[in-house]
Amino acid sequence: MEREAIKLYLEQLLGQKMKERHVRAIGVNAGYHGLPKIFIEEGKSYSDLEPGAPRERVIAIFEAAFFCVCTASRGAGEDMPYLFHRQDVFHVEYK
């Protein structure tokens, strides 16, 4: 699924406008998820993006009032993306 189609899907699903800037990576300290600090980049695979989540490749990251991390099964046309609150994100890299 192309980036623009994912963006439109997320905007409809979440009722939030995604920012136009292309997020390449985020550093997250998601203590509420019970996870250690993690640096999440597009194109790389991660397990436990939330407790018990399988290993998946990140295909897109979007920014709104929160950050949406999308994989083929989460956020890219189906199901909810992995959501990270802005206050838990300590670093953002744009493309």
Coordinates of all heavy atoms in Angstrom, one line a residue:
M1 N 0.9 -1.2 0.0 CA 0.0 0.0 0.0 C 0.9 1.2 0.0 O 1.9 1.3 0.7 CB -0.9 0.0 1.2 CG -1.9 1.1 1.4 SD -3.0 0.8 2.8 CE -4.5 1.0 1.9
E2 N 0.6 2.2 -0.8 CA 1.4 3.4 -0.9 C 1.2 4.3 0.3 O 0.1 4.3 0.9 CB 1.2 4.1 -2.3 CG -0.1 4.8 -2.4 CD -0.2 5.6 -3.7 OE1 -0.1 5.0 -4.7 OE2 -0.5 6.8 -3.6
R3 N 2.1 5.2 0.5 CA 2.1 6.1 1.7 C 0.8 7.0 1.7 O 0.2 7.1 2.8 CB 3.4 6.9 1.7 CG 3.5 7.8 3.0 CD 4.8 8.5 3.0 NE 4.9 9.3 4.2 CZ 5.1 8.9 5.4 NH1 5.4 7.7 5.7 NH2 5.1 9.8 6.4
E4 N 0.5 7.5 0.6 CA -0.7 8.4 0.6 C -2.0 7.7 0.9 O -2.9 8.2 1.6 CB -0.8 9.1 -0.8 CG -1.9 10.2 -0.8 CD -1.7 11.3 0.1 OE1 -0.5 11.6 0.5 OE2 -2.7 12.0 0.5
A5 N -2.1 6.4 0.4 CA -3.3 5.6 0.7 C -3.3 5.3 2.2 O -4.4 5.3 2.9 CB -3.3 4.4 -0.1
I6 N -2.2 5.0 2.8 CA -2.1 4.7 4.3 C -2.5 6.0 5.0 O -3.3 5.9 6.0 CB -0.7 4.3 4.7 CG1 -0.4 2.9 4.0 CG2 -0.6 4.1 6.2 CD1 1.1 2.5 4.2
K7 N -2.0 7.1 4.6 CA -2.4 8.4 5.3 C -3.9 8.6 5.3 O -4.5 9.0 6.3 CB -1.6 9.5 4.6 CG -1.9 10.9 5.1 CD -1.1 11.9 4.4 CE -1.4 13.3 4.8 NZ -2.4 13.9 3.9
L8 N -4.5 8.5 4.1 CA -6.0 8.7 4.0 C -6.7 7.7 4.9 O -7.7 8.0 5.5 CB -6.4 8.5 2.6 CG -5.9 9.7 1.6 CD1 -6.2 9.4 0.2 CD2 -6.4 11.0 2.1
Y9 N -6.3 6.4 4.9 CA -6.9 5.4 5.8 C -6.8 5.8 7.2 O -7.8 5.8 8.0 CB -6.2 4.0 5.6 CG -6.6 3.0 6.6 CD1 -7.9 2.4 6.5 CD2 -5.8 2.7 7.7 CE1 -8.3 1.4 7.4 CE2 -6.2 1.8 8.6 CZ -7.4 1.1 8.5 OH -7.8 0.2 9.4
L10 N -5.6 6.3 7.7 CA -5.5 6.7 9.1 C -6.3 7.9 9.4 O -6.9 7.9 10.5 CB -4.0 7.0 9.4 CG -3.0 5.9 9.3 CD1 -1.6 6.4 9.5 CD2 -3.3 4.8 10.4
E11 N -6.4 8.9 8.5 CA -7.2 10.1 8.8 C -8.7 9.7 9.0 O -9.4 10.2 9.8 CB -7.0 11.1 7.7 CG -5.6 11.7 7.7 CD -5.4 12.7 6.6 OE1 -6.1 12.7 5.6 OE2 -4.4 13.5 6.7
Q12 N -9.2 8.8 8.1 CA -10.6 8.3 8.2 C -10.8 7.5 9.5 O -11.7 7.7 10.3 CB -10.9 7.5 7.0 CG -12.4 7.1 7.0 CD -12.8 6.3 5.8 OE1 -11.9 5.7 5.1 NE2 -14.0 6.3 5.5
L13 N -9.9 6.6 9.8 CA -10.0 5.7 10.9 C -9.9 6.5 12.3 O -10.7 6.3 13.2 CB -8.8 4.7 10.9 CG -8.7 3.7 12.1 CD1 -9.9 2.7 12.1 CD2 -7.4 3.0 12.1
L14 N -8.9 7.4 12.4 CA -8.7 8.1 13.6 C -9.3 9.5 13.8 O -9.3 10.1 14.8 CB -7.2 8.2 13.8 CG -6.4 6.9 13.8 CD1 -4.9 7.2 13.8 CD2 -6.7 6.1 15.0
G15 N -9.9 10.0 12.7 CA -10.5 11.3 12.7 C -9.5 12.4 13.0 O -9.9 13.4 13.6
Q16 N -8.3 12.2 12.6 CA -7.2 13.2 12.8 C -6.5 13.4 11.5 O -6.3 12.5 10.7 CB -6.2 12.7 13.8 CG -6.7 12.6 15.2 CD -6.0 13.6 16.0 OE1 -5.0 14.2 15.7 NE2 -6.7 13.9 17.2
K17 N -6.1 14.6 11.2 CA -5.4 15.0 10.0 C -3.9 14.6 10.3 O -3.3 15.0 11.3 CB -5.5 16.5 9.7 CG -4.9 16.9 8.4 CD -6.0 16.7 7.3 CE -5.4 17.3 6.0 NZ -5.8 16.5 4.9
M18 N -3.3 13.9 9.4 CA -1.9 13.5 9.5 C -1.1 14.7 9.0 O -1.4 15.3 8.0 CB -1.5 12.3 8.8 CG -2.2 11.0 9.3 SD -1.8 10.5 10.9 CE -3.4 10.5 11.7
K19 N 0.0 15.0 9.6 CA 0.9 16.1 9.1 C 1.6 15.7 7.8 O 1.8 14.5 7.6 CB 2.0 16.5 10.2 CG 1.3 17.1 11.4 CD 2.3 17.6 12.4 CE 1.6 18.3 13.6 NZ 2.6 18.8 14.5
E20 N 1.9 16.6 7.0 CA 2.5 16.3 5.7 C 4.0 15.9 5.8 O 4.5 15.2 4.9 CB 2.4 17.6 4.8 CG 1.0 17.9 4.4 CD 0.3 16.8 3.6 OE1 1.0 16.1 2.8 OE2 -0.9 16.6 3.8
R21 N 4.7 16.3 6.8 CA 6.1 16.0 7.0 C 6.3 14.4 7.0 O 5.5 13.8 7.8 CB 6.7 16.6 8.2 CG 6.8 18.1 8.0 CD 7.1 18.9 9.3 NE 8.4 18.5 9.8 CZ 9.0 19.1 10.8 NH1 8.4 20.1 11.4 NH2 10.1 18.7 11.3
H22 N 7.3 13.9 6.3 CA 7.5 12.5 6.3 C 8.4 12.1 7.5 O 9.6 12.5 7.5 CB 8.2 12.2 4.9 CG 8.4 10.7 4.7 ND1 8.1 10.1 3.5 CD2 8.8 9.7 5.5 CE1 8.4 8.8 3.6 NE2 8.8 8.6 4.8
V23 N 7.9 11.4 8.4 CA 8.6 10.9 9.6 C 9.4 9.7 9.1 O 8.8 8.7 8.7 CB 7.7 10.6 10.8 CG1 8.5 10.1 11.9 CG2 6.9 11.9 11.2
R24 N 10.7 9.7 9.3 CA 11.5 8.6 9.0 C 11.8 7.6 10.2 O 11.9 6.4 10.0 CB 12.9 9.0 8.5 CG 13.8 8.0 7.8 CD 15.1 8.4 7.5 NE 16.0 8.6 8.7 CZ 16.5 7.6 9.4 NH1 16.2 6.3 9.1 NH2 17.3 7.8 10.4
A25 N 11.9 8.2 11.4 CA 12.2 7.4 12.6 C 11.7 8.2 13.8 O 11.7 9.4 13.8 CB 13.7 7.1 12.6
I26 N 11.5 7.5 14.9 CA 11.2 8.1 16.2 C 11.9 7.3 17.3 O 12.0 6.1 17.2 CB 9.6 8.1 16.5 CG1 9.0 6.7 16.4 CG2 8.9 9.1 15.6 CD1 7.5 6.7 16.9
G27 N 12.2 8.0 18.3 CA 12.8 7.4 19.5 C 11.6 7.4 20.6 O 11.0 8.5 20.8
V28 N 11.3 6.3 21.2 CA 10.2 6.2 22.1 C 10.6 5.7 23.4 O 11.3 4.7 23.5 CB 9.1 5.3 21.5 CG1 7.9 5.2 22.4 CG2 8.6 5.8 20.1
N29 N 10.1 6.3 24.5 CA 10.2 5.8 25.8 C 8.8 5.5 26.3 O 8.2 6.3 27.0 CB 10.9 6.8 26.7 CG 11.2 6.3 28.1 OD1 11.2 5.1 28.3 ND2 11.5 7.2 29.0
A30 N 8.3 4.4 25.9 CA 6.9 4.1 26.2 C 6.7 3.3 27.4 O 6.4 2.1 27.4 CB 6.3 3.3 25.0
G31 N 7.0 3.9 28.6 CA 7.0 3.2 29.8 C 5.6 2.7 30.1 O 5.5 1.6 30.8
Y32 N 4.5 3.3 29.7 CA 3.2 2.9 29.9 C 2.9 1.5 29.2 O 2.1 0.8 29.6 CB 2.1 3.9 29.5 CG 2.1 4.1 28.0 CD1 1.1 3.4 27.3 CD2 2.9 5.0 27.4 CE1 1.1 3.6 25.9 CE2 2.8 5.3 26.1 CZ 1.9 4.5 25.3 OH 1.8 4.8 24.0
H33 N 3.7 1.2 28.2 CA 3.6 -0.1 27.5 C 4.4 -1.1 28.2 O 4.3 -2.3 27.9 CB 4.1 0.0 26.1 CG 3.1 0.6 25.1 ND1 1.8 0.0 24.9 CD2 3.2 1.6 24.2 CE1 1.2 0.7 23.9 NE2 2.0 1.7 23.5
G34 N 5.2 -0.7 29.2 CA 6.1 -1.6 29.9 C 7.3 -2.0 29.0 O 7.8 -3.1 29.2
L35 N 7.6 -1.1 28.1 CA 8.7 -1.4 27.1 C 9.9 -0.6 27.4 O 9.8 0.6 27.9 CB 8.2 -1.2 25.7 CG 7.0 -2.0 25.2 CD1 6.6 -1.5 23.9 CD2 7.3 -3.5 25.2
P36 N 11.1 -1.0 27.1 CA 12.3 -0.2 27.2 C 12.3 0.9 26.1 O 11.5 0.8 25.1 CB 13.4 -1.2 27.0 CG 12.9 -2.2 26.1 CD 11.4 -2.4 26.5
K37 N 13.2 1.8 26.2 CA 13.4 2.8 25.1 C 13.7 2.1 23.8 O 14.4 1.1 23.8 CB 14.5 3.8 25.4 CG 14.2 4.8 26.4 CD 15.4 5.7 26.6 CE 15.1 6.8 27.6 NZ 16.2 7.7 27.8
I38 N 13.1 2.6 22.7 CA 13.3 2.0 21.4 C 13.4 3.0 20.3 O 12.7 4.1 20.4 CB 12.2 0.9 21.1 CG1 12.4 0.2 19.8 CG2 10.8 1.6 21.1 CD1 11.5 -1.0 19.6
F39 N 14.2 2.8 19.3 CA 14.3 3.7 18.2 C 13.7 2.9 17.0 O 14.1 1.8 16.6 CB 15.8 4.0 17.9 CG 16.0 5.0 16.9 CD1 15.7 6.4 17.1 CD2 16.5 4.7 15.6 CE1 15.9 7.4 16.2 CE2 16.7 5.7 14.6 CZ 16.4 7.0 14.9
I40 N 12.6 3.5 16.5 CA 11.8 2.8 15.4 C 12.0 3.5 14.1 O 11.8 4.7 14.0 CB 10.3 2.9 15.8 CG1 10.1 2.2 17.2 CG2 9.5 2.2 14.7 CD1 8.7 2.5 17.7
E41 N 12.5 2.8 13.1 CA 12.8 3.3 11.8 C 11.9 2.6 10.7 O 11.7 1.4 10.8 CB 14.2 3.1 11.4 CG 15.2 3.9 12.2 CD 16.6 3.6 11.7 OE1 17.0 4.1 10.7 OE2 17.3 2.8 12.4
E42 N 11.5 3.4 9.7 CA 10.8 2.9 8.5 C 11.7 1.8 7.9 O 13.0 2.0 7.8 CB 10.5 3.9 7.5 CG 9.3 4.8 7.8 CD 9.0 5.7 6.7 OE1 9.8 6.1 5.9 OE2 7.8 6.2 6.7
G43 N 11.1 0.7 7.4 CA 11.9 -0.3 6.7 C 12.6 -1.3 7.6 O 13.1 -2.3 7.1
K44 N 12.6 -1.1 8.9 CA 13.2 -2.1 9.8 C 12.1 -2.9 10.5 O 11.0 -2.4 10.6 CB 14.1 -1.4 10.8 CG 15.3 -0.8 10.1 CD 16.4 -0.5 11.0 CE 17.6 0.0 10.2 NZ 18.7 0.4 11.0
S45 N 12.5 -4.1 11.0 CA 11.5 -4.9 11.7 C 11.7 -4.9 13.2 O 12.9 -4.9 13.6 CB 11.6 -6.4 11.2 OG 11.3 -6.4 9.8
Y46 N 10.6 -5.0 13.9 CA 10.6 -5.0 15.4 C 9.6 -5.9 15.9 O 8.6 -6.2 15.3 CB 10.3 -3.5 15.9 CG 11.2 -2.5 15.4 CD1 10.9 -1.8 14.2 CD2 12.4 -2.2 16.0 CE1 11.8 -0.9 13.6 CE2 13.2 -1.2 15.5 CZ 12.9 -0.6 14.3 OH 13.8 0.4 13.8
S47 N 9.9 -6.5 17.1 CA 8.9 -7.3 17.8 C 8.6 -6.4 19.1 O 9.3 -5.5 19.5 CB 9.4 -8.6 18.2 OG 10.7 -8.5 18.9
D48 N 7.4 -6.7 19.6 CA 7.0 -6.1 20.9 C 6.9 -4.5 20.7 O 7.2 -3.8 21.7 CB 7.9 -6.4 22.0 CG 7.9 -7.9 22.4 OD1 6.8 -8.4 22.4 OD2 8.9 -8.5 22.8
L49 N 6.3 -4.1 19.6 CA 6.0 -2.6 19.5 C 4.9 -2.3 20.6 O 4.7 -1.1 20.9 CB 5.5 -2.2 18.1 CG 6.7 -2.2 17.1 CD1 6.1 -2.0 15.7 CD2 7.7 -1.1 17.5
E50 N 4.2 -3.3 21.0 CA 3.4 -3.3 22.2 C 3.5 -4.7 22.8 O 3.9 -5.6 22.1 CB 1.9 -2.9 21.9 CG 1.1 -3.8 21.1 CD -0.3 -3.3 20.8 OE1 -0.5 -2.1 20.8 OE2 -1.1 -4.2 20.6
P51 N 3.3 -4.8 24.1 CA 3.6 -6.2 24.7 C 2.9 -7.3 24.0 O 1.7 -7.3 23.7 CB 3.0 -6.0 26.1 CG 3.1 -4.5 26.4 CD 2.8 -3.9 25.1
G52 N 3.7 -8.3 23.6 CA 3.2 -9.5 22.9 C 3.1 -9.4 21.4 O 2.7 -10.4 20.8
A53 N 3.3 -8.2 20.9 CA 3.2 -8.1 19.4 C 4.2 -8.8 18.7 O 5.4 -8.9 19.1 CB 3.2 -6.6 19.0
P54 N 3.9 -9.4 17.5 CA 4.8 -10.2 16.7 C 5.8 -9.3 16.0 O 5.6 -8.1 15.9 CB 3.9 -10.9 15.7 CG 2.8 -10.0 15.5 CD 2.5 -9.4 16.9
R55 N 6.9 -9.9 15.5 CA 7.9 -9.2 14.7 C 7.3 -8.7 13.4 O 6.7 -9.5 12.7 CB 9.1 -10.0 14.5 CG 10.3 -9.3 13.8 CD 11.5 -10.2 13.9 NE 12.7 -9.4 13.3 CZ 13.4 -8.5 14.0 NH1 13.1 -8.2 15.2 NH2 14.4 -7.9 13.4
E56 N 7.4 -7.4 13.1 CA 6.8 -6.9 11.9 C 7.7 -5.8 11.4 O 8.4 -5.1 12.1 CB 5.4 -6.2 12.2 CG 4.4 -7.2 12.7 CD 3.0 -6.5 12.9 OE1 2.2 -6.4 12.0 OE2 2.8 -6.0 14.0
R57 N 7.6 -5.6 10.1 CA 8.4 -4.5 9.4 C 7.5 -3.2 9.4 O 6.4 -3.2 9.0 CB 8.6 -5.0 8.0 CG 9.6 -4.0 7.2 CD 9.9 -4.6 5.8 NE 10.4 -3.5 5.0 CZ 9.6 -2.8 4.2 NH1 8.4 -3.1 4.1 NH2 10.1 -1.8 3.4
V58 N 8.2 -2.1 9.8 CA 7.5 -0.8 9.8 C 7.5 -0.3 8.4 O 8.6 -0.2 7.8 CB 8.2 0.1 10.8 CG1 7.7 1.5 10.7 CG2 8.1 -0.4 12.2
I59 N 6.3 0.0 7.9 CA 6.3 0.5 6.5 C 6.0 2.0 6.4 O 6.3 2.6 5.4 CB 5.2 -0.3 5.6 CG1 3.8 -0.2 6.3 CG2 5.7 -1.7 5.5 CD1 2.8 -0.8 5.4
A60 N 5.5 2.6 7.5 CA 5.3 4.1 7.5 C 5.2 4.5 9.0 O 4.7 3.8 9.8 CB 4.1 4.4 6.7
I61 N 5.6 5.8 9.2 CA 5.3 6.5 10.5 C 4.7 7.8 10.1 O 5.2 8.6 9.3 CB 6.6 6.7 11.2 CG1 7.4 5.4 11.5 CG2 6.4 7.4 12.6 CD1 8.8 5.5 12.1
F62 N 3.6 8.1 10.8 CA 2.9 9.4 10.6 C 2.8 10.1 11.9 O 2.8 9.5 13.0 CB 1.5 9.1 10.0 CG 1.5 8.7 8.6 CD1 1.5 7.3 8.3 CD2 1.5 9.6 7.5 CE1 1.5 6.8 7.0 CE2 1.5 9.1 6.2 CZ 1.5 7.8 6.0
E63 N 2.6 11.4 11.8 CA 2.5 12.3 12.9 C 1.2 13.1 12.9 O 0.8 13.6 11.9 CB 3.7 13.3 12.9 CG 3.7 14.3 14.0 CD 4.9 15.3 13.9 OE1 5.6 15.3 12.9 OE2 5.1 16.0 14.9
A64 N 0.5 13.1 14.0 CA -0.7 13.9 14.2 C -0.6 14.4 15.7 O 0.5 14.9 16.0 CB -1.9 13.0 14.1
A65 N -1.6 14.3 16.5 CA -1.5 14.7 17.9 C -0.7 13.6 18.6 O -0.3 13.8 19.8 CB -2.8 14.8 18.5
F66 N -0.4 12.5 17.9 CA 0.4 11.3 18.4 C 1.1 10.8 17.2 O 0.9 11.3 16.1 CB -0.6 10.3 19.0 CG -1.9 10.1 18.2 CD1 -1.9 9.4 17.0 CD2 -3.0 10.8 18.6 CE1 -3.0 9.4 16.3 CE2 -4.2 10.7 17.9 CZ -4.2 10.0 16.7
F67 N 1.9 9.8 17.4 CA 2.6 9.2 16.3 C 2.0 7.8 16.0 O 1.7 7.0 16.9 CB 4.1 9.0 16.6 CG 4.8 10.3 16.6 CD1 4.9 11.1 17.8 CD2 5.5 10.8 15.5 CE1 5.5 12.3 17.8 CE2 6.1 12.0 15.5 CZ 6.1 12.8 16.6
C68 N 1.8 7.5 14.7 CA 1.3 6.3 14.2 C 2.4 5.5 13.5 O 2.9 5.9 12.5 CB 0.2 6.5 13.2 SG -1.2 7.6 13.8
V69 N 2.6 4.3 14.0 CA 3.6 3.4 13.4 C 2.8 2.3 12.7 O 2.0 1.6 13.3 CB 4.6 2.8 14.5 CG1 5.5 1.8 13.9 CG2 5.4 3.9 15.1
C70 N 3.0 2.2 11.4 CA 2.2 1.3 10.6 C 3.0 0.1 10.1 O 4.2 0.3 9.6 CB 1.7 2.1 9.4 SG 0.6 3.5 9.8
T71 N 2.4 -1.0 10.1 CA 3.0 -2.3 9.6 C 1.9 -2.8 8.6 O 0.8 -2.3 8.5 CB 3.3 -3.3 10.7 OG1 2.0 -3.7 11.3 CG2 4.2 -2.8 11.7
A72 N 2.2 -3.9 7.9 CA 1.3 -4.4 6.9 C 0.0 -4.9 7.6 O -1.1 -4.7 7.0 CB 1.9 -5.6 6.2
S73 N 0.0 -5.3 8.9 CA -1.2 -5.8 9.5 C -1.7 -4.8 10.5 O -2.8 -5.0 11.1 CB -0.9 -7.1 10.3 OG 0.0 -6.9 11.3
R74 N -1.0 -3.7 10.8 CA -1.5 -2.7 11.7 C -1.3 -1.3 11.1 O -0.2 -0.7 11.0 CB -0.6 -2.7 13.0 CG -0.7 -4.0 13.8 CD -2.0 -4.1 14.7 NE -2.1 -3.0 15.6 CZ -1.7 -3.0 16.9 NH1 -1.2 -4.1 17.4 NH2 -1.9 -1.9 17.6
G75 N -2.4 -0.7 10.7 CA -2.5 0.7 10.2 C -2.3 0.9 8.7 O -2.6 2.0 8.2
A76 N -1.9 -0.1 8.0 CA -1.8 0.0 6.5 C -3.0 -0.5 5.8 O -2.9 -1.5 5.1 CB -0.5 -0.6 6.0
G77 N -4.1 0.1 6.1 CA -5.4 -0.4 5.4 C -6.2 -1.3 6.2 O -7.4 -1.6 5.9
E78 N -5.7 -1.7 7.4 CA -6.5 -2.6 8.3 C -6.0 -2.4 9.7 O -4.9 -2.1 9.9 CB -6.4 -4.1 7.9 CG -5.0 -4.7 7.9 CD -5.0 -6.1 7.5 OE1 -5.1 -6.4 6.3 OE2 -5.0 -7.0 8.4
D79 N -6.9 -2.6 10.6 CA -6.6 -2.5 12.0 C -6.0 -1.2 12.4 O -5.8 -0.3 11.6 CB -5.7 -3.7 12.5 CG -6.0 -4.1 13.9 OD1 -6.8 -3.4 14.6 OD2 -5.4 -5.1 14.3
M80 N -5.8 -1.0 13.7 CA -5.2 0.2 14.3 C -3.7 0.2 14.2 O -3.1 -0.9 14.4 CB -5.6 0.3 15.8 CG -7.1 0.6 16.1 SD -7.5 2.3 15.6 CE -6.7 3.2 16.9
P81 N -3.1 1.3 13.9 CA -1.6 1.4 13.9 C -1.2 1.3 15.4 O -2.0 1.4 16.3 CB -1.3 2.8 13.3 CG -2.5 3.6 13.7 CD -3.7 2.6 13.6
Y82 N 0.1 1.1 15.5 CA 0.7 1.3 16.9 C 0.8 2.8 17.2 O 1.3 3.5 16.4 CB 2.1 0.7 16.9 CG 2.2 -0.8 16.7 CD1 2.4 -1.4 15.5 CD2 1.9 -1.7 17.8 CE1 2.5 -2.7 15.3 CE2 1.9 -3.1 17.6 CZ 2.2 -3.6 16.3 OH 2.2 -4.9 16.1
L83 N 0.2 3.2 18.3 CA 0.1 4.6 18.6 C 1.1 4.9 19.8 O 1.1 4.2 20.8 CB -1.3 5.0 19.0 CG -2.4 4.7 18.0 CD1 -3.8 5.0 18.6 CD2 -2.1 5.6 16.8
F84 N 1.8 6.0 19.6 CA 2.7 6.5 20.7 C 2.4 8.0 21.0 O 2.3 8.8 20.0 CB 4.1 6.3 20.2 CG 4.5 4.9 20.0 CD1 4.5 4.3 18.8 CD2 4.9 4.1 21.1 CE1 4.8 3.0 18.6 CE2 5.2 2.8 21.0 CZ 5.2 2.2 19.7
H85 N 2.1 8.3 22.2 CA 1.9 9.6 22.7 C 3.1 10.5 22.4 O 4.2 10.1 22.6 CB 1.5 9.7 24.1 CG 0.2 8.9 24.4 ND1 -1.0 9.4 24.1 CD2 0.0 7.7 25.0 CE1 -2.0 8.6 24.5 NE2 -1.4 7.5 25.0
R86 N 2.8 11.7 22.1 CA 3.9 12.7 21.8 C 4.8 12.8 23.0 O 6.0 12.9 22.8 CB 3.2 14.1 21.5 CG 4.2 15.1 21.1 CD 3.5 16.3 20.5 NE 2.8 16.1 19.2 CZ 3.4 15.9 18.1 NH1 4.7 16.1 18.0 NH2 2.7 15.7 17.0
Q87 N 4.3 12.8 24.3 CA 5.2 13.0 25.4 C 6.1 11.8 25.6 O 7.1 11.9 26.3 CB 4.4 13.3 26.7 CG 3.5 12.1 27.2 CD 2.1 12.2 26.7 OE1 1.8 12.9 25.7 NE2 1.2 11.5 27.4
D88 N 5.8 10.7 25.0 CA 6.7 9.5 25.1 C 7.7 9.4 24.0 O 8.6 8.6 24.0 CB 5.9 8.2 25.0 CG 5.0 8.0 26.2 OD1 5.4 8.5 27.3 OD2 3.9 7.5 26.1
V89 N 7.6 10.3 23.0 CA 8.6 10.4 21.9 C 9.7 11.4 22.2 O 9.4 12.6 22.3 CB 7.9 10.7 20.6 CG1 8.9 10.9 19.4 CG2 6.9 9.6 20.2
F90 N 10.9 10.9 22.3 CA 12.0 11.8 22.7 C 12.9 12.2 21.5 O 13.7 13.1 21.6 CB 12.9 11.2 23.8 CG 13.6 9.9 23.4 CD1 14.8 9.9 22.7 CD2 13.0 8.7 23.7 CE1 15.4 8.7 22.3 CE2 13.6 7.5 23.3 CZ 14.8 7.5 22.7
H91 N 12.6 11.7 20.3 CA 13.4 12.0 19.2 C 12.6 11.8 17.9 O 11.9 10.7 17.8 CB 14.7 11.2 19.1 CG 15.6 11.5 18.0 ND1 16.4 12.6 17.9 CD2 15.8 10.8 16.8 CE1 17.0 12.6 16.8 NE2 16.7 11.6 16.1
V92 N 12.6 12.7 16.9 CA 12.0 12.5 15.7 C 12.9 12.9 14.5 O 13.6 13.9 14.6 CB 10.7 13.4 15.5 CG1 10.0 13.2 14.2 CG2 9.8 13.2 16.7
E93 N 13.0 12.0 13.5 CA 13.8 12.3 12.3 C 12.9 12.3 11.1 O 12.0 11.5 10.9 CB 14.8 11.2 12.1 CG 16.0 11.2 13.1 CD 17.0 10.1 12.8 OE1 17.1 9.6 11.6 OE2 17.9 9.9 13.6
Y94 N 13.0 13.4 10.4 CA 12.2 13.6 9.2 C 13.0 13.3 7.9 O 14.2 13.4 7.9 CB 11.7 15.0 9.1 CG 10.8 15.4 10.3 CD1 11.3 16.1 11.4 CD2 9.4 15.0 10.3 CE1 10.5 16.4 12.4 CE2 8.6 15.3 11.4 CZ 9.1 16.0 12.4 OH 8.3 16.3 13.5
K95 N 12.3 12.9 6.9 CA 13.0 12.5 5.6 C 13.2 13.8 4.8 O 12.5 14.8 4.9 CB 12.1 11.6 4.8 CG 12.9 10.7 3.9 CD 12.0 9.6 3.4 CE 12.9 8.5 2.8 NZ 12.2 7.4 2.4

